[in-house]
């Protein structure tokens, strides 16, 4: 049986993070369009609500990928669980955070390694 080393795990996470960031590019474009039509806050809420409905680990990576586009932050080792939405795009999210299921985050600063 093949064992993954810590270095290999870090590389796989980085590659997966890059893949999901580019998979969320069309969603970011939808956000930009909705921002023009509905306003910056309502457009952001609409897209984060849609992203919150993707289940499992893929949903966590997807939400993180989208939020990387909006916030411009790397969001390394972050877990944003199913059903969690954001109601204000002026959020600041640190690395290593955990946001549980069905949370609604407004205008906030979440520092590194917070739950």
């Amino acid at each position: 049986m093949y064992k993954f080393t810590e270095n290999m795990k870090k590389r796989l996470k980085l590659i997966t993070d890059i893949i999901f960031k580019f998979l969320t590019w069309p969603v970011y474009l939808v956000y930009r369009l909705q921002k023009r039509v509905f306003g910056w806050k309502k457009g952001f809420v609409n897209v984060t609500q849609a992203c919150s409905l993707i289940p499992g680990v893929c949903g966590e990576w997807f939400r993180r990928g989208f939020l990387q586009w909006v916030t411009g932050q790397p969001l390394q080792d972050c877990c944003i669980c199913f059903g969690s939405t954001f109601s204000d795009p002026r959020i600041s999210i640190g690395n290593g955070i955990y946001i549980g299921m069905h949370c609604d985050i407004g205008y906030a600063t979440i520092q590194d390694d917070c739950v």
Side-chain angles (χ1 to χ4, degrees), residues 20-40:
F20 273 91
K21 186 168 181 181
F22 284 103
L23 284 175
T24 57
W25 173 249
V27 177
Y28 179 66
L29 293 177
V30 167
Y31 158 66
R32 298 286 304 247
L33 177 66
Q34 286 195 12
K35 186 168 118 171
R36 289 181 182 264
V37 174
F38 301 117
W40 61 275

Side-chain angles (χ1 to χ4, degrees), residues 45 48-50 52 80-81 83-87 102-106:
V45 170
T48 60
Q49 285 176 352
S52 75
I80 303 166
C81 291
S84 293
T85 60
F86 295 86
S87 58
H102 307 292
C103 292
D104 183 27
I105 310 292

Side-chain angles (χ1 to χ4, degrees), residues 33-97:
L33 177 66
Q34 286 195 12
K35 186 168 118 171
R36 289 181 182 264
V37 174
F38 301 117
W40 61 275
K41 198 169 183 180
K42 191 162 210 93
F44 183 72
V45 170
N46 288 343
V47 174
T48 60
Q49 285 176 352
C51 290
S52 75
L53 299 176
I54 303 169
V57 175
C58 288
E60 292 173 17
W61 286 89
F62 195 85
R63 285 182 282 282
R64 187 165 74 207
F66 170 71
L67 289 171
Q68 285 176 346
W69 287 114
V70 175
T71 64
Q73 300 163 334
L75 306 180
Q76 296 172 342
D77 291 327
C78 292
C79 178
I80 303 166
C81 291
F82 178 79
S84 293
T85 60
F86 295 86
S87 58
D88 197 309
R90 298 174 295 175
I91 55 172
S92 177
I93 302 173
N95 295 321
I97 60 104

